mmCIF file of all heavy atoms in Angstrom:
data_model
loop_
_atom_site.group_PDB
_atom_site.id
_atom_site.type_symbol
_atom_site.label_atom_id
_atom_site.label_comp_id
_atom_site.label_asym_id
_atom_site.label_seq_id
_atom_site.Cartn_x
_atom_site.Cartn_y
_atom_site.Cartn_z
ATOM 1 N N ARG O 28 -17.113 10.711 2.695
ATOM 2 C CA ARG O 28 -16.220 11.408 1.836
ATOM 3 C C ARG O 28 -14.892 10.674 1.761
ATOM 4 O O ARG O 28 -14.421 10.189 2.780
ATOM 5 C CB ARG O 28 -15.898 12.887 2.415
ATOM 6 C CG ARG O 28 -16.923 13.907 2.023
ATOM 7 C CD ARG O 28 -16.862 15.157 2.780
ATOM 8 N NE ARG O 28 -15.445 15.531 3.028
ATOM 9 C CZ ARG O 28 -15.113 16.480 3.871
ATOM 10 N NH1 ARG O 28 -16.079 17.137 4.591
ATOM 11 N NH2 ARG O 28 -13.902 16.865 4.122
ATOM 12 N N CYS O 29 -14.248 10.597 0.544
ATOM 13 C CA CYS O 29 -13.128 9.803 0.291
ATOM 14 C C CYS O 29 -11.887 10.381 1.050
ATOM 15 O O CYS O 29 -11.017 9.615 1.539
ATOM 16 C CB CYS O 29 -12.802 9.815 -1.196
ATOM 17 S SG CYS O 29 -13.891 8.770 -2.122
ATOM 18 N N ASP O 30 -11.850 11.703 1.264
ATOM 19 C CA ASP O 30 -10.708 12.250 1.905
ATOM 20 C C ASP O 30 -10.669 11.953 3.423
ATOM 21 O O ASP O 30 -9.686 11.683 3.974
ATOM 22 C CB ASP O 30 -10.688 13.834 1.713
ATOM 23 C CG ASP O 30 -11.939 14.549 2.151
ATOM 24 O OD1 ASP O 30 -13.029 13.916 2.003
ATOM 25 O OD2 ASP O 30 -11.796 15.668 2.594
ATOM 26 N N ARG O 31 -11.833 11.821 3.965
ATOM 27 C CA ARG O 31 -11.955 11.394 5.386
ATOM 28 C C ARG O 31 -11.485 9.963 5.568
ATOM 29 O O ARG O 31 -10.859 9.541 6.538
ATOM 30 C CB ARG O 31 -13.396 11.558 5.930
ATOM 31 C CG ARG O 31 -13.751 12.989 6.091
ATOM 32 C CD ARG O 31 -15.151 13.124 6.796
ATOM 33 N NE ARG O 31 -15.447 14.511 7.067
ATOM 34 C CZ ARG O 31 -16.632 14.903 7.641
ATOM 35 N NH1 ARG O 31 -17.545 13.980 7.836
ATOM 36 N NH2 ARG O 31 -16.809 16.165 7.808
ATOM 37 N N VAL O 32 -11.911 9.084 4.586
ATOM 38 C CA VAL O 32 -11.423 7.653 4.599
ATOM 39 C C VAL O 32 -9.970 7.567 4.453
ATOM 40 O O VAL O 32 -9.325 6.825 5.180
ATOM 41 C CB VAL O 32 -12.134 6.859 3.442
ATOM 42 C CG1 VAL O 32 -11.697 5.408 3.492
ATOM 43 C CG2 VAL O 32 -13.767 6.893 3.676
ATOM 44 N N ALA O 33 -9.477 8.317 3.537
ATOM 45 C CA ALA O 33 -7.973 8.356 3.278
ATOM 46 C C ALA O 33 -7.202 8.767 4.586
ATOM 47 O O ALA O 33 -6.205 8.150 4.912
ATOM 48 C CB ALA O 33 -7.630 9.237 2.182
ATOM 49 N N GLN O 34 -7.726 9.814 5.296
ATOM 50 C CA GLN O 34 -7.069 10.179 6.500
ATOM 51 C C GLN O 34 -7.185 9.085 7.557
ATOM 52 O O GLN O 34 -6.275 8.883 8.345
ATOM 53 C CB GLN O 34 -7.680 11.490 6.931
ATOM 54 C CG GLN O 34 -6.950 12.238 8.200
ATOM 55 C CD GLN O 34 -5.494 12.491 7.748
ATOM 56 O OE1 GLN O 34 -5.351 13.228 6.668
ATOM 57 N NE2 GLN O 34 -4.557 12.016 8.485
ATOM 58 N N GLY O 35 -8.407 8.461 7.523
ATOM 59 C CA GLY O 35 -8.529 7.300 8.467
ATOM 60 C C GLY O 35 -7.578 6.203 8.235
ATOM 61 O O GLY O 35 -7.132 5.629 9.208
ATOM 62 N N ILE O 36 -7.377 5.885 7.005
ATOM 63 C CA ILE O 36 -6.362 4.874 6.618
ATOM 64 C C ILE O 36 -4.961 5.201 7.096
ATOM 65 O O ILE O 36 -4.310 4.368 7.679
ATOM 66 C CB ILE O 36 -6.418 4.667 5.044
ATOM 67 C CG1 ILE O 36 -7.763 3.928 4.654
ATOM 68 C CG2 ILE O 36 -5.181 3.717 4.698
ATOM 69 C CD1 ILE O 36 -7.943 4.017 3.116
ATOM 70 N N VAL O 37 -4.613 6.439 6.881
ATOM 71 C CA VAL O 37 -3.263 6.892 7.295
ATOM 72 C C VAL O 37 -3.122 6.892 8.797
ATOM 73 O O VAL O 37 -2.144 6.420 9.363
ATOM 74 C CB VAL O 37 -3.064 8.384 6.742
ATOM 75 C CG1 VAL O 37 -1.676 8.953 7.357
ATOM 76 C CG2 VAL O 37 -2.906 8.402 5.241
ATOM 77 N N ASP O 38 -4.170 7.385 9.463
ATOM 78 C CA ASP O 38 -4.174 7.360 11.045
ATOM 79 C C ASP O 38 -4.118 5.894 11.520
ATOM 80 O O ASP O 38 -3.371 5.586 12.473
ATOM 81 C CB ASP O 38 -5.358 8.017 11.527
ATOM 82 C CG ASP O 38 -5.373 9.622 11.253
ATOM 83 O OD1 ASP O 38 -4.322 10.036 10.801
ATOM 84 O OD2 ASP O 38 -6.401 10.182 11.306
ATOM 85 N N ALA O 39 -4.831 5.069 10.885
ATOM 86 C CA ALA O 39 -4.860 3.655 11.356
ATOM 87 C C ALA O 39 -3.641 2.992 11.125
ATOM 88 O O ALA O 39 -3.096 2.241 11.980
ATOM 89 C CB ALA O 39 -5.966 2.928 10.567
ATOM 90 N N TYR O 40 -2.918 3.225 9.951
ATOM 91 C CA TYR O 40 -1.563 2.640 9.666
ATOM 92 C C TYR O 40 -0.639 3.039 10.726
ATOM 93 O O TYR O 40 0.146 2.373 11.240
ATOM 94 C CB TYR O 40 -1.160 3.238 8.291
ATOM 95 C CG TYR O 40 -0.062 2.399 7.657
ATOM 96 C CD1 TYR O 40 -0.201 1.617 6.549
ATOM 97 C CD2 TYR O 40 1.197 2.516 8.307
ATOM 98 C CE1 TYR O 40 0.916 0.945 6.017
ATOM 99 C CE2 TYR O 40 2.296 1.768 7.728
ATOM 100 C CZ TYR O 40 2.134 1.030 6.521
ATOM 101 O OH TYR O 40 3.183 0.318 5.948
ATOM 102 N N LYS O 41 -0.611 4.450 11.039
ATOM 103 C CA LYS O 41 0.263 4.911 12.122
ATOM 104 C C LYS O 41 0.123 4.342 13.488
ATOM 105 O O LYS O 41 0.981 4.054 14.276
ATOM 106 C CB LYS O 41 0.287 6.500 12.145
ATOM 107 C CG LYS O 41 0.793 7.100 10.878
ATOM 108 C CD LYS O 41 0.669 8.601 10.903
ATOM 109 C CE LYS O 41 1.300 9.251 9.614
ATOM 110 N NZ LYS O 41 1.125 10.744 9.538
ATOM 111 N N ASN O 42 -1.268 4.196 13.799
ATOM 112 C CA ASN O 42 -1.632 3.568 15.075
ATOM 113 C C ASN O 42 -1.170 2.077 15.266
ATOM 114 O O ASN O 42 -0.639 1.655 16.270
ATOM 115 C CB ASN O 42 -3.081 3.639 15.352
ATOM 116 C CG ASN O 42 -3.522 5.042 15.651
ATOM 117 O OD1 ASN O 42 -2.748 5.957 16.005
ATOM 118 N ND2 ASN O 42 -4.826 5.244 15.451
ATOM 119 N N ILE O 43 -1.276 1.353 14.207
ATOM 120 C CA ILE O 43 -0.842 -0.002 14.142
ATOM 121 C C ILE O 43 0.685 -0.224 14.244
ATOM 122 O O ILE O 43 1.250 -0.992 14.857
ATOM 123 C CB ILE O 43 -1.421 -0.811 13.024
ATOM 124 C CG1 ILE O 43 -2.893 -0.864 13.132
ATOM 125 C CG2 ILE O 43 -0.736 -2.225 12.854
ATOM 126 C CD1 ILE O 43 -3.631 -1.434 11.859
ATOM 127 N N GLY O 44 1.346 0.787 13.508
ATOM 128 C CA GLY O 44 2.876 0.651 13.396
ATOM 129 C C GLY O 44 3.212 -0.006 12.055
ATOM 130 O O GLY O 44 2.638 0.397 10.992
ATOM 131 N N ASP O 45 4.043 -0.934 12.141
ATOM 132 C CA ASP O 45 4.557 -1.469 10.910
ATOM 133 C C ASP O 45 3.586 -2.611 10.369
ATOM 134 O O ASP O 45 3.247 -3.445 11.091
ATOM 135 C CB ASP O 45 5.902 -2.248 11.075
ATOM 136 C CG ASP O 45 6.516 -2.888 9.861
ATOM 137 O OD1 ASP O 45 6.486 -2.206 8.818
ATOM 138 O OD2 ASP O 45 6.876 -4.067 9.962
ATOM 139 N N ILE O 46 3.039 -2.312 9.174
ATOM 140 C CA ILE O 46 2.203 -3.354 8.549
ATOM 141 C C ILE O 46 3.059 -4.127 7.514
ATOM 142 O O ILE O 46 3.547 -3.446 6.550
ATOM 143 C CB ILE O 46 1.027 -2.631 7.897
ATOM 144 C CG1 ILE O 46 0.188 -2.048 8.970
ATOM 145 C CG2 ILE O 46 0.127 -3.658 7.045
ATOM 146 C CD1 ILE O 46 -1.090 -1.308 8.478
ATOM 147 N N PRO O 47 3.234 -5.331 7.684
ATOM 148 C CA PRO O 47 4.228 -6.111 6.889
ATOM 149 C C PRO O 47 3.845 -6.397 5.387
ATOM 150 O O PRO O 47 4.660 -7.022 4.666
ATOM 151 C CB PRO O 47 4.412 -7.447 7.637
ATOM 152 C CG PRO O 47 3.088 -7.622 8.329
ATOM 153 C CD PRO O 47 2.570 -6.203 8.618
ATOM 154 N N VAL O 48 2.555 -6.036 4.983
ATOM 155 C CA VAL O 48 2.224 -6.338 3.613
ATOM 156 C C VAL O 48 1.835 -5.039 2.915
ATOM 157 O O VAL O 48 1.517 -4.126 3.546
ATOM 158 C CB VAL O 48 0.976 -7.223 3.549
ATOM 159 C CG1 VAL O 48 1.302 -8.592 4.260
ATOM 160 C CG2 VAL O 48 -0.220 -6.712 4.347
ATOM 161 N N PRO O 49 2.027 -4.985 1.588
ATOM 162 C CA PRO O 49 1.677 -3.735 0.842
ATOM 163 C C PRO O 49 0.174 -3.526 0.927
ATOM 164 O O PRO O 49 -0.667 -4.507 0.935
ATOM 165 C CB PRO O 49 2.124 -4.090 -0.655
ATOM 166 C CG PRO O 49 2.143 -5.579 -0.664
ATOM 167 C CD PRO O 49 2.577 -6.041 0.656
ATOM 168 N N ILE O 50 -0.172 -2.266 0.922
ATOM 169 C CA ILE O 50 -1.622 -1.851 0.948
ATOM 170 C C ILE O 50 -1.905 -1.034 -0.370
ATOM 171 O O ILE O 50 -1.194 -0.148 -0.670
ATOM 172 C CB ILE O 50 -1.941 -0.992 2.173
ATOM 173 C CG1 ILE O 50 -1.695 -1.857 3.342
ATOM 174 C CG2 ILE O 50 -3.361 -0.474 2.138
ATOM 175 C CD1 ILE O 50 -1.769 -1.102 4.710
ATOM 176 N N ILE O 51 -2.937 -1.440 -1.092
ATOM 177 C CA ILE O 51 -3.387 -0.787 -2.228
ATOM 178 C C ILE O 51 -4.754 -0.117 -1.940
ATOM 179 O O ILE O 51 -5.682 -0.871 -1.498
ATOM 180 C CB ILE O 51 -3.511 -1.716 -3.487
ATOM 181 C CG1 ILE O 51 -2.110 -2.324 -3.738
ATOM 182 C CG2 ILE O 51 -4.034 -0.873 -4.691
ATOM 183 C CD1 ILE O 51 -1.916 -3.666 -3.014
ATOM 184 N N VAL O 52 -4.863 1.183 -2.200
ATOM 185 C CA VAL O 52 -6.081 1.854 -1.865
ATOM 186 C C VAL O 52 -6.728 2.395 -3.096
ATOM 187 O O VAL O 52 -6.055 3.068 -3.878
ATOM 188 C CB VAL O 52 -5.734 3.057 -0.819
ATOM 189 C CG1 VAL O 52 -7.203 3.712 -0.571
ATOM 190 C CG2 VAL O 52 -5.196 2.484 0.362
ATOM 191 N N ARG O 53 -7.979 2.093 -3.402
ATOM 192 C CA ARG O 53 -8.801 2.583 -4.512
ATOM 193 C C ARG O 53 -9.913 3.359 -3.903
ATOM 194 O O ARG O 53 -10.820 2.787 -3.298
ATOM 195 C CB ARG O 53 -9.228 1.503 -5.435
ATOM 196 C CG ARG O 53 -9.891 2.064 -6.651
ATOM 197 C CD ARG O 53 -11.461 1.803 -6.511
ATOM 198 N NE ARG O 53 -12.082 2.247 -7.706
ATOM 199 C CZ ARG O 53 -13.396 2.114 -7.950
ATOM 200 N NH1 ARG O 53 -14.178 1.647 -6.997
ATOM 201 N NH2 ARG O 53 -13.989 2.529 -9.002
ATOM 202 N N LEU O 54 -9.871 4.738 -4.045
ATOM 203 C CA LEU O 54 -10.997 5.570 -3.514
ATOM 204 C C LEU O 54 -11.688 6.211 -4.712
ATOM 205 O O LEU O 54 -10.953 6.818 -5.469
ATOM 206 C CB LEU O 54 -10.491 6.607 -2.559
ATOM 207 C CG LEU O 54 -9.793 6.063 -1.257
ATOM 208 C CD1 LEU O 54 -9.109 7.117 -0.588
ATOM 209 C CD2 LEU O 54 -10.918 5.492 -0.343
ATOM 210 N N GLN O 55 -12.989 6.085 -4.781
ATOM 211 C CA GLN O 55 -13.707 6.724 -5.923
ATOM 212 C C GLN O 55 -15.004 7.400 -5.338
ATOM 213 O O GLN O 55 -15.651 6.824 -4.442
ATOM 214 C CB GLN O 55 -14.097 5.616 -6.939
ATOM 215 C CG GLN O 55 -14.647 6.181 -8.171
ATOM 216 C CD GLN O 55 -13.633 6.986 -9.023
ATOM 217 O OE1 GLN O 55 -13.578 8.193 -8.818
ATOM 218 N NE2 GLN O 55 -12.879 6.384 -9.908
ATOM 219 N N GLY O 56 -15.265 8.557 -5.855
ATOM 220 C CA GLY O 56 -16.400 9.272 -5.445
ATOM 221 C C GLY O 56 -16.063 10.679 -4.923
ATOM 222 O O GLY O 56 -15.203 11.313 -5.404
ATOM 223 N N THR O 57 -16.859 11.124 -3.879
ATOM 224 C CA THR O 57 -16.711 12.481 -3.384
ATOM 225 C C THR O 57 -15.250 12.691 -2.892
ATOM 226 O O THR O 57 -14.801 12.029 -1.973
ATOM 227 C CB THR O 57 -17.751 12.760 -2.263
ATOM 228 O OG1 THR O 57 -18.958 12.373 -2.697
ATOM 229 C CG2 THR O 57 -17.678 14.210 -1.847
ATOM 230 N N ASN O 58 -14.582 13.769 -3.392
ATOM 231 C CA ASN O 58 -13.232 14.170 -2.992
ATOM 232 C C ASN O 58 -12.226 13.052 -3.150
ATOM 233 O O ASN O 58 -11.257 12.883 -2.441
ATOM 234 C CB ASN O 58 -13.298 14.591 -1.551
ATOM 235 C CG ASN O 58 -13.968 15.850 -1.242
ATOM 236 O OD1 ASN O 58 -14.452 16.538 -2.258
ATOM 237 N ND2 ASN O 58 -14.114 16.307 -0.022
ATOM 238 N N ALA O 59 -12.362 12.298 -4.248
ATOM 239 C CA ALA O 59 -11.414 11.200 -4.613
ATOM 240 C C ALA O 59 -10.028 11.756 -4.860
ATOM 241 O O ALA O 59 -9.006 11.119 -4.518
ATOM 242 C CB ALA O 59 -11.900 10.370 -5.746
ATOM 243 N N VAL O 60 -9.995 12.859 -5.622
ATOM 244 C CA VAL O 60 -8.628 13.459 -5.969
ATOM 245 C C VAL O 60 -7.892 13.860 -4.595
ATOM 246 O O VAL O 60 -6.708 13.572 -4.486
ATOM 247 C CB VAL O 60 -8.852 14.624 -6.949
ATOM 248 C CG1 VAL O 60 -7.529 15.297 -7.140
ATOM 249 C CG2 VAL O 60 -9.469 14.213 -8.191
ATOM 250 N N GLU O 61 -8.600 14.503 -3.710
ATOM 251 C CA GLU O 61 -7.964 14.992 -2.536
ATOM 252 C C GLU O 61 -7.593 13.758 -1.688
ATOM 253 O O GLU O 61 -6.477 13.773 -1.071
ATOM 254 C CB GLU O 61 -8.953 15.832 -1.697
ATOM 255 C CG GLU O 61 -9.322 17.129 -2.306
ATOM 256 C CD GLU O 61 -10.467 17.070 -3.286
ATOM 257 O OE1 GLU O 61 -10.896 15.967 -3.695
ATOM 258 O OE2 GLU O 61 -10.988 18.235 -3.532
ATOM 259 N N ALA O 62 -8.358 12.754 -1.781
ATOM 260 C CA ALA O 62 -7.983 11.445 -1.075
ATOM 261 C C ALA O 62 -6.689 10.866 -1.567
ATOM 262 O O ALA O 62 -5.814 10.451 -0.766
ATOM 263 C CB ALA O 62 -9.120 10.502 -1.146
ATOM 264 N N LYS O 63 -6.618 10.787 -2.861
ATOM 265 C CA LYS O 63 -5.399 10.228 -3.559
ATOM 266 C C LYS O 63 -4.145 10.985 -3.052
ATOM 267 O O LYS O 63 -3.077 10.522 -2.817
ATOM 268 C CB LYS O 63 -5.508 10.151 -5.002
ATOM 269 C CG LYS O 63 -4.417 9.478 -5.736
ATOM 270 C CD LYS O 63 -4.616 9.433 -7.197
ATOM 271 C CE LYS O 63 -3.664 8.499 -7.851
ATOM 272 N NZ LYS O 63 -2.251 8.706 -7.653
ATOM 273 N N LYS O 64 -4.239 12.319 -2.980
ATOM 274 C CA LYS O 64 -3.096 13.160 -2.554
ATOM 275 C C LYS O 64 -2.805 12.929 -1.093
ATOM 276 O O LYS O 64 -1.512 12.838 -0.826
ATOM 277 C CB LYS O 64 -3.523 14.740 -2.730
ATOM 278 C CG LYS O 64 -2.428 15.627 -2.566
ATOM 279 C CD LYS O 64 -2.760 17.023 -2.838
ATOM 280 C CE LYS O 64 -1.547 18.005 -2.747
ATOM 281 N NZ LYS O 64 -0.791 17.873 -1.637
ATOM 282 N N ILE O 65 -3.740 12.699 -0.252
ATOM 283 C CA ILE O 65 -3.437 12.418 1.161
ATOM 284 C C ILE O 65 -2.619 11.053 1.252
ATOM 285 O O ILE O 65 -1.702 10.953 2.012
ATOM 286 C CB ILE O 65 -4.745 12.296 1.964
ATOM 287 C CG1 ILE O 65 -5.362 13.670 2.108
ATOM 288 C CG2 ILE O 65 -4.497 11.653 3.402
ATOM 289 C CD1 ILE O 65 -6.774 13.655 2.739
#
């Protein structure tokens, strides 16, 4: 599910701390809208 992946991305980002490069996320499929909101 895209929303689970999106939450995983957010959690991973916070665990690593400062990531010095921009991150672009494209999620498509199940719960993609909810994922974009997260």
Side-chain angles (χ1 to χ4, degrees):
R28 279 169 35 191
C29 289
D30 55 329
R31 286 187 177 176
V32 176
Q34 193 58 55
I36 292 167
V37 171
D38 292 346
Y40 195 114
K41 290 177 179 176
N42 287 341
I43 292 173
D45 181 47
I46 294 180
V48 299
I50 296 171
I51 300 89
V52 180
R53 183 259 183 175
L54 296 168
Q55 190 63 272
T57 308
N58 292 355
V60 175
E61 292 86 342
K63 189 177 189 307
K64 188 174 188 306
I65 291 171

